Amino acid sequence: MVEELVQEAGILIVFLAGISYVAVGIYLLQTAARENGGPSYFLGWALLCNGFSFGFAEIGFVAGYEEFLAPLTFAGRICAAACCVSIALFTWKVFRRDSGWGGFAVGFSFALIAIGLVISAVEGDWEGYAPLSSRGFWFEWVGSAAPFVWLAFESIRQYLISRRRIPLGLIDPIIANRYFLIGFYSSLASITYFIYIPMYIVYELHGVWSGWLDLSLGVVEVISVIALWLAFATPRFYRKWLGTSAPEAPKN
């Protein structure tokens, strides 16, 4: 009984995470449009693609379209790849715009993911749920996780630098906190890739999804996307909590 409830809760929160990614992604794209582009464009596309990835990955299971499961899941993996490359582009443009190796890091991540997808297709592992038997899985995993680890490192590093400038009035505390929230989001996103490993191993061995791992993944995903929304929307209550009287972000 408990396991069934956990399974249902896990499915529900994973769907909530997917919807949240789409909603926040659209918000960030609207923000980028108001600013005539900018790095938030890449971040918005990343979240939107991640939301689509959730949709493609789950619709086959939920609707019972077993015959379409492989192509739908592979489409979801392509969307997830677009998300990861967009995260790498965002990190490069925001933190390492003048570094030659930043562009190389983006290209390297893209190459690893592409190699992983091609190998998986050749091996017949269209779903990407076979870490024990698929070599392509690990190329894709490393290439996908790396951009989030990179973003987490750069954001937290910048936050530690910027918070020392707040007492001197050299930086808006909202901006300093934004670095922290982006780092928090990307740290949690990095953790999800480590949750995927046991989740997929269980599925590969037994053909079932672990309710507890599903639930853990969903909780981490939802918390991470809320953190990212706070970073850019910064509602009044959050500004008050930070103790700042900075003007509110423009509304849609």
Side-chain angles (χ1 to χ4, degrees), residues 8-88:
E8 292 177 3
I11 293 172
L12 179 62
I13 201 165
V14 165
F15 269 102
L16 178 61
I19 293 170
S20 300
Y21 277 122
V22 171
V24 177
I26 291 173
Y27 174 83
L28 290 177
L29 288 174
Q30 291 175 334
T31 301
R34 288 196 299 266
E35 298 171 351
N36 296 318
S40 57
Y41 173 83
F42 294 111
L43 201 53
W45 271 113
L47 265 68
L48 194 61
C49 289
N50 208 23
F52 289 156
S53 174
F54 271 74
F56 280 120
E58 296 295 331
I59 191 171
F61 290 104
V62 174
Y65 298 146
E66 298 294 332
E67 65 274 22
F68 299 114
L69 191 59
L72 285 172
T73 306
F74 196 74
R77 293 171 68 185
I78 293 174
C79 289
C83 165
C84 297
V85 174
S86 295
I87 290 292

Side-chain angles (χ1 to χ4, degrees), residues 43-235:
L43 201 53
W45 271 113
L47 265 68
L48 194 61
C49 289
N50 208 23
F52 289 156
S53 174
F54 271 74
F56 280 120
E58 296 295 331
I59 191 171
F61 290 104
V62 174
Y65 298 146
E66 298 294 332
E67 65 274 22
F68 299 114
L69 191 59
L72 285 172
T73 306
F74 196 74
R77 293 171 68 185
I78 293 174
C79 289
C83 165
C84 297
V85 174
S86 295
I87 290 292
L89 285 168
F90 173 80
T91 308
W92 177 32
K93 295 297 183 181
V94 172
F95 298 102
R96 298 292 176 179
R97 177 183 291 271
D98 299 324
S99 297
W101 66 263
F104 173 80
V106 175
F108 187 66
S109 176
F110 173 81
L112 283 176
I113 296 172
I115 290 170
L117 290 173
V118 170
I119 292 176
S120 292
V122 172
E123 293 175 333
D125 178 30
W126 297 98
E127 298 174 359
Y129 300 146
L132 297 178
S133 58
S134 172
R135 292 170 297 175
F137 174 89
W138 293 105
F139 281 97
E140 183 184 2
W141 186 89
V142 173
S144 299
F148 291 99
V149 175
W150 183 21
L151 178 57
F153 171 79
E154 297 287 2
S155 300
I156 296 301
R157 173 180 171 274
Q158 192 61 45
Y159 168 69
L160 294 175
I161 293 172
S162 62
R163 73 173 183 174
R164 294 197 294 267
R165 298 174 179 172
I166 295 175
L168 301 175
L170 298 177
I171 190 171
D172 187 332
I174 293 293
I175 301 300
N177 184 256
R178 182 172 296 167
Y179 287 125
F180 168 76
L181 289 173
I182 292 174
F184 183 59
Y185 153 76
S186 48
S187 296
L188 290 181
S190 301
I191 290 172
T192 63
Y193 281 90
F194 291 91
I195 298 176
Y196 283 136
I197 294 174
M199 177 184 294
Y200 292 165
I201 287 175
V202 169
Y203 184 77
E204 184 178 7
L205 292 176
H206 307 291
V208 296
W209 296 106
S210 166
W212 290 104
L213 289 173
D214 252 353
L215 184 60
S216 300
L217 177 67
V219 168
V220 172
E221 296 271 10
V222 170
I223 294 174
S224 72
V225 78
I226 289 174
L228 197 60
W229 173 74
L230 284 174
F232 287 91
T234 324

